[in-house]
Every structure is written in C-alpha cells, then in structure tokens.
C-alpha cells in the first residue's frame, strides 16, 4: 500500500491521475497538495473528495517546512510531482512564475524529501520521488527527424521548456548526489476531461460552442504527439511499479497530428454531433456555426508565437519494452471521449472561464 503525495493534484493531469489511482488502488492514501492558482480547481476533484483515503491541503510547494511536515505527519512514501506552470504563451509574457514554481518549487520538494526520507530516515527504504516532465525539454524536430528518445540532448526553446529542463536536472542531481530514489517521465501533449480551456483542444471545443473564432498560430502545420490523459496516468503507474530508480521514461501517444488538422477534425465532429443530436441545438443555441454545420468557418489564422517549436514526437520504446506500456486510446477514440465530456459538462468549463468557481473555493476553505 502506498501513502502518496500528488502535487498539482487539482490541475488537469493531476486530477485525472488522482481519479485513476484511487479507482485502481482504493486502499492507498492520497494527499493532494495544490496552491489553487488559476488552473487549480477543486471541482476537478469532486469524484474523489468523499473517498475515505483522500486528503487535500492547499499549499505552495515552495514552502519547504510545510512540505516536510506533510511528509512526516502523513508518513508518506511516494511523491508524484505534477505541480507546474505549463502554458507556453504565459511563459513568454511572464516567465518569472515559471522559474519560481517549476525550478524553485521542485527544488523545495526535493529538499523536503531528502530531509525527511534520508536525513531523518522517516520512510521505508523503498521511497519514490516521481517527477512528471514534458517532451518540450528536447526542443524541436524537423519533419523527417527521428522522434525524441530518452538519450536526446535537451534543447528547450521557451521559458516554460527551459524551466522544466532545469527541474529535470535537479531531480537527477538529487539521486546521484544524495541517493534520493527518483524517476522522471517526459510526456507528449495531453488532452481529455478537465483540461483548462486555454489549451488547444478544449479551447477549440468551447469556442465552437460559443461561436467564437478558432485561433490557429501561423500556418497551423505545427506537429504534436497527443496522449489521452488517462493513458498518461497509466504510464506513470507503470513507472512507479516497474521503472528503475534514477531513470527517465518517455510516455507518448503514438499520435502525431498537425494543429490545423486537429482543429478541422474537431469542427467535423461537432458538426456531426449537432446534426445527429437535435437536443444539442437546444442546449447550445449560441453555437450558430455548429448548428449550420459550418464550424470550420470560425477558423482564424493568427500571428505565430515567438520561438514556436515546429514538431514534437515521442519515441516510447523504452517504456514499452521495459514496462510493457502501451496507450489504450487512439486519437479518434480519445477525442470522442473528450468532446462528449465537454458537451456533457458545460457547468464545469463555463465556471472555469468566468471564474465563478473561485467563489466556491473561498467558501470551502474560508
């Protein structure tokens, strides 16, 4: 039985990981630590909040003494570190927050884990600090380049990617210098339920439903490998259970798509959904283009962002061969689940977009 801290567990990937883990391992103790900044949302954790082994603490991972106290008090033996600033556009306009959270926050957690687990010895011999990172640390690929492997040299091109690369190096250093039992996973672009609507897929879905323009950077030919978020949770599970201490593992979805092709595909899916389910027209009367079967007319090409990486692609053979990991969802099946979730949960994304959920948080944690 594990006693686990999940940092950033009220965010998109974090909350989906918590849902998955508590469903698979209901006897494990899971403590979520989240600062509840703009992308942290307690509503993401509604499915597990009544579970007897679930706990939540609103805290900043940069508060090292509090992190130490939580590790001691709850006798935790595992940290799954997901807390991070992650939106590239925001890192371009305001990089300081990314350095503070992604670098100093990770260092704070590493210091706390070392202090409690190693210096004080208040942990079983088999502890684990698992760090969740990104494929963006590897930089960009040309169209014919081979996919990123765990041996690819780091070459981050945005402040976000640079901050994650730095945190990866810190995790590695704490293993080699202090003996902390660590692992790191570098994942491709995630999508699925509870995805904050500033990211491409939820932005396209929610903008179509509001009949707003669909912004596409540059020519839209940027390529990303897409991973359904529950498949990512399964990948982390494999690393925790079978991964070698001190190792990095790439977790990918084997789904390379051009951004513009994703936008067009979602347009087609929503047009089809509105055509076959007339109730959607009543539920979303403002979705004028979708009702007309012409969502694609909302596509608007905008100026490309600075330093926009052209292509990411994950080679996940190491995870497959060592851990037996394979994603279960194709992009088509995963995007269908994602679209259906957004169509069925307008109260969630509307609250996120208008900020009303913060009032609920204030009442719950006054």
């Amino acid at each position: 039985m594990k006693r686990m801290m999940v940092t950033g567990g009220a965010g998109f990937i974090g909350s989906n990981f918590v849902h998955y883990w508590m469903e698979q391992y209901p006897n494990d103790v899971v403590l979520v630590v989240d600062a509840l900044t703009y992308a942290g949302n307690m509503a993401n954790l509604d499915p597990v909040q009544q579970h007897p082994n679930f706990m939540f603490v609103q805290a900043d991972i940069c508060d090292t003494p509090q992190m130490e106290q939580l590790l001691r008090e709850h006798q935790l033996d595992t940290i799954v570190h997901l807390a991070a600033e992650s939106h590239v556009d925001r890192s371009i306009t305001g990089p300081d927050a990314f350095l503070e959270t992604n670098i100093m926050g990770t260092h704070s957690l590493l210091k706390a884990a070392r202090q409690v687990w190693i210096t004080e010895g208040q942990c079983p011999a088999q502890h684990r600090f698992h760090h969740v990172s990104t494929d963006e640390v590897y930089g960009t690929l040309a169209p014919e380049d081979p996919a990123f492997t765990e041996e690819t040299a780091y070459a981050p091109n945005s402040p976000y990617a640079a901050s994650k690369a730095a945190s990866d190096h810190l995790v590695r250093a704490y293993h080699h210098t202090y003996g902390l039992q660590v692992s790191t996973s570098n994942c491709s672009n995630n999508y699925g339920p509870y995805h904050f609507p500033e990211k491409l897929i939820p932005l396209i879905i929610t903008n179509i439903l509001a009949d707003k323009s669909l912004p596409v950077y540059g020519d839209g030919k940027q390529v990303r490998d897409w991973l359904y978020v529950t498949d990512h949770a399964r990948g982390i599970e494999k690393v925790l259970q079978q991964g070698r201490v001190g190792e990095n593992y790439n977790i990918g979805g084997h789904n390379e798509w051009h951004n513009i092709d994703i936008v067009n595909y979602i347009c087609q899916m929503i047009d089809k959904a509105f055509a076959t389910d007339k109730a959607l027209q009543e539920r979303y009367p403002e979705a004028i283009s979708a009702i007309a079967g012409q969502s694609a007319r909302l596509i608007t090409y905008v100026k490309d962002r600075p330093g926009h990486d052209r292509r990411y692609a994950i080679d996940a053979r190491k995870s497959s061969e060592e851990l037996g990991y394979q994603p279960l969802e194709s992009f088509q099946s995963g995007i269908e689940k994602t679209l259906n979730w957004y169509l069925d949960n307008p109260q969630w994304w509307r609250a996120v977009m208008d900020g009303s959920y913060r009032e609920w948080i204030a009442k719950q944690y006054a």
Side-chain angles (χ1 to χ4, degrees), residues 10-315:
F12 162 50
I13 299 175
S15 61
N16 277 282
F17 173 78
V18 170
H19 300 165
Y20 176 81
W21 195 270
M22 300 204 76
E23 180 180 342
Q24 299 297 315
Y25 306 97
N27 293 325
D28 285 4
V29 171
V30 175
L31 169 67
V32 167
V33 173
D34 200 296
L36 295 179
T37 54
Y38 79 97
N41 185 350
M42 285 301 298
N44 296 359
L45 293 167
D46 281 349
V48 296
Q49 288 195 55
Q50 302 308 312
H51 195 289
N53 287 338
F54 171 83
M55 296 176 287
F56 176 82
V57 174
Q58 183 174 356
D60 186 341
I61 59 172
C62 291
D63 186 344
T64 309
Q66 185 172 13
M67 297 303 104
E68 291 178 4
Q69 183 56 34
L70 290 173
L71 290 171
R72 295 188 194 101
E73 178 183 350
H74 299 286
Q75 299 179 314
L76 304 174
D77 54 37
T78 304
I79 295 174
V80 177
H81 176 36
L82 289 133
E85 295 284 347
S86 65
H87 193 43
V88 174
D89 288 1
R90 288 178 182 265
S91 82
I92 293 170
T93 57
D96 288 8
F98 288 73
L99 275 62
E100 180 67 21
T101 298
N102 299 352
I103 301 176
M104 299 310 298
T106 299
H107 189 220
S108 171
L109 282 170
L110 288 165
K111 288 191 295 181
R114 178 195 173 203
Q115 174 64 30
V116 176
W117 289 348
I118 296 178
T119 304
E120 299 174 13
Q122 296 191 33
C123 181
Q126 300 302 314
H127 61 263
R128 180 66 68 91
F129 186 111
H130 181 71
H131 176 56
V132 179
S133 190
T134 172
D135 58 0
E136 296 193 39
V137 299
Y138 298 123
T140 189
L141 293 169
E144 303 304 320
D145 285 344
F148 300 129
T149 73
E150 290 82 357
E151 303 304 317
T152 301
Y154 278 23
N157 290 319
S158 70
Y160 161 63
S163 69
K164 290 298 289 184
S167 66
D168 292 6
H169 293 320
L170 282 169
V171 172
R172 174 184 172 87
Y174 263 70
H175 170 63
H176 286 276
T177 303
Y178 304 115
L180 195 68
Q181 295 178 21
V182 308
S183 52
T184 297
S185 55
N186 296 81
C187 69
S188 51
N189 281 30
N190 281 216
Y191 67 98
Y194 302 103
H195 204 175
F196 199 82
E198 68 184 358
K199 301 298 181 73
L200 178 64
I201 288 175
L203 178 68
I204 296 304
I205 293 171
T206 55
N207 276 17
I208 290 174
L209 296 178
D211 208 52
K212 296 180 179 179
S213 65
L214 310 179
V216 175
Y217 280 129
D219 61 3
K221 294 294 186 180
Q222 303 86 1
V223 177
R224 300 293 183 264
D225 174 32
W226 292 90
L227 175 68
Y228 188 64
V229 67
T230 306
D231 279 334
H232 186 190
R234 292 177 53 253
I236 296 171
E237 174 190 33
K238 292 283 191 181
V239 176
L240 289 174
Q241 291 180 336
Q242 300 166 238
R244 290 179 287 146
V245 170
E247 290 292 312
N248 286 47
Y249 293 91
N250 284 346
I251 302 175
H254 309 304
N255 283 305
E256 287 189 57
W257 283 68
H258 290 102
N259 285 352
I260 187 61
D261 292 337
I262 288 178
V263 175
N264 277 308
Y265 187 66
I266 294 173
C267 288
Q268 294 167 14
M269 289 185 67
I270 292 182
D271 288 350
K272 182 179 178 180
F274 272 74
T276 56
D277 184 357
K278 300 301 181 183
L280 288 175
Q281 300 182 19
E282 298 178 5
R283 288 166 55 198
Y284 296 101
E286 63 273 32
I288 298 170
S289 298
I291 292 171
Q294 299 179 32
S295 294
R297 71 186 182 187
L298 297 171
I299 295 173
T300 304
Y301 290 90
V302 299
K303 183 181 178 180
D304 209 352
R305 71 185 179 205
H308 199 172
D309 290 335
R310 194 64 173 173
R311 174 176 169 245
Y312 305 141
I314 283 283
D315 182 337

